[in-house]
Amino acid sequence: MPDMNENYALFLDFDGTLVDIVERPDAVAVEPELPRILTRLKERLGGALAIISGRPVAFLDGRFAPHRFDMAGLHGLEHRIAGRLSMCDPEEHPALRETVARLNRIVADKDGVLIEDKGCSVAIHWRLAPHEKDFALATARAAVEALGDNYRIQYGKAVAEILPSAAGKGKVIERFLEESPYRGRHPIFVGDDLTDENGFKTVNAHGGLSVRIGPGETVAKVRLGTPADLRHCLSTWALEGSLPFRGDDC
C-alpha cells in the first residue's frame, strides 16, 4: 500500500511557529529534539519538507546545524530546493544598503528599537520599546517611500521589514510546488503572523491546508495555540505517520 504521507508537501514558518518568539531576534533558540523530528518527518514525506522564513538561509542553517533542510529565506529572496541553493546578493541592492546605514543612524538614540540587517532586506523591531511603535512605523514608511516601487513593507509582530517587492512567502511556495519532490502534492503551510497570510492564501488556492499558530484574524483553515503545540503535532506525525491538523489540535 502506498504511503499517504507522500501525497503532502509540508512548509513551516520559523519564528513564532517552530520556535517561540523572543525579545531580541538573535536570541532565538531551537529545541534540541526539533531537528531530529523534522528529519524523520522529511523522510516520511519523501523529502517534501521546507522551512519558509523571513530569516536568511545562513542564519537558519546555523540554528539547525548539522542538519540541513530545504528552505526559503528572506521571504523567498533566497531558497534551497532539493539541495540546490539560490542566494540573494546584497550588492544588487545598493539603495537598500544605503537605507540600512541611514536607519542605523536614525535609531541610534532610540533604546529598544533594533535594526536587523538581513543583507537583501532590513527589519525595524520595537518589541523591546512598544512606546516607540509610531516612530518605528513612520521611519519604515519614510524609508520605503524614498526607495520607490521596487520595495515594500512587510508588517509582522512588533516589526516592519523593508524588502524587494518581488519577495513573498506565497510566491516562493508556488516555486517549490513546481519542483520535485513537491510537485503534484497537496501543500500544508504552518505560520503565525501577517507575513504568512499570503502563504495561507496560496495553499488554500491549491486545495491544501493552512494552519495558523496563535490568535489573530486569518484565512487559515486550522488554528493551533502555541509553537509547543505544533512541535507536539510534528513529533506525533514523525513517529506515527498519521497526518495531524484535522481540527484545532493533533
Side-chain angles (χ1 to χ4, degrees):
M1 178 181 294
D3 187 346
M4 294 300 294
N5 286 294
E6 294 191 1
N7 292 332
Y8 298 99
L10 179 61
F11 303 99
L12 298 159
D13 175 46
F14 183 69
D15 291 281
T17 300
L18 286 174
V19 299
D20 297 300
I21 293 287
V22 293
E23 290 186 337
R24 302 184 64 92
D26 58 351
V28 68
V30 172
E31 290 288 329
E33 288 299 315
L34 181 59
R36 287 187 284 274
I37 290 169
L38 295 181
T39 297
R40 176 70 180 273
L41 190 50
K42 176 182 174 181
E43 293 170 355
R44 284 199 179 277
L45 293 166
L49 180 151
I51 298 167
I52 309 293
S53 175
R55 300 277 196 168
V57 165
F59 177 92
L60 295 168
D61 278 345
R63 289 303 190 272
F64 285 104
H67 301 268
R68 190 64 62 94
F69 300 101
D70 280 359
M71 59 180 58
L74 303 180
H75 304 276
L77 292 176
E78 51 189 33
H79 52 74
R80 180 169 55 233
I81 304 176
R84 301 186 305 276
L85 181 62
S86 174
M87 296 295 287
C88 179
D89 184 357
E91 293 185 3
E92 295 179 357
H93 299 273
L96 181 66
R97 303 311 309 153
E98 293 175 6
T99 296
V100 172
R102 187 163 59 252
L103 289 173
N104 277 308
R105 293 193 297 270
I106 290 171
V107 308
D109 62 348
K110 294 289 187 178
D111 290 341
V113 179
L114 306 177
I115 301 300
E116 183 184 7
D117 181 4
K118 302 183 183 181
C120 294
S121 73
V122 59
I124 305 176
H125 297 265
W126 62 88
R127 183 174 301 279
L128 291 171
H131 59 285
E132 297 287 7
K133 176 181 178 179
D134 290 344
F135 163 80
L137 288 172
T139 300
R141 289 165 182 158
V144 82
E145 183 176 352
L147 284 166
D149 292 342
N150 289 331
Y151 295 86
R152 65 179 181 88
I153 296 179
Q154 176 69 68
Y155 297 102
K157 295 175 179 175
V159 61
E161 184 167 355
I162 300 168
L163 69 168
S165 298
K169 292 185 179 180
K171 293 178 182 178
V172 78
I173 288 173
E174 291 274 12
R175 174 68 183 273
F176 273 83
L177 292 174
E178 294 172 354
E179 302 277 348
S180 178
Y182 304 88
R183 185 172 54 244
R185 294 176 179 235
H186 296 291
I188 300 171
F189 178 47
V190 190
D192 75 303
D193 204 350
L194 290 172
T195 61
D196 302 309
E197 289 297 317
N198 65 8
F200 296 152
K201 291 176 183 177
T202 293
V203 300
N204 289 348
H206 280 267
L209 181 63
S210 48
V211 183
R212 167 91 179 210
I213 305 298
E217 185 176 350
T218 185
V219 299
K221 297 178 179 179
V222 172
R223 192 185 301 270
L224 293 177
T226 67
D229 293 333
L230 174 65
R231 292 191 294 267
H232 172 71
C233 288
L234 296 178
S235 178
T236 300
W237 191 1
L239 291 172
E240 299 178 3
S242 56
L243 177 70
F245 315 131
R246 299 190 182 279
D248 290 356
D249 55 35
C250 294

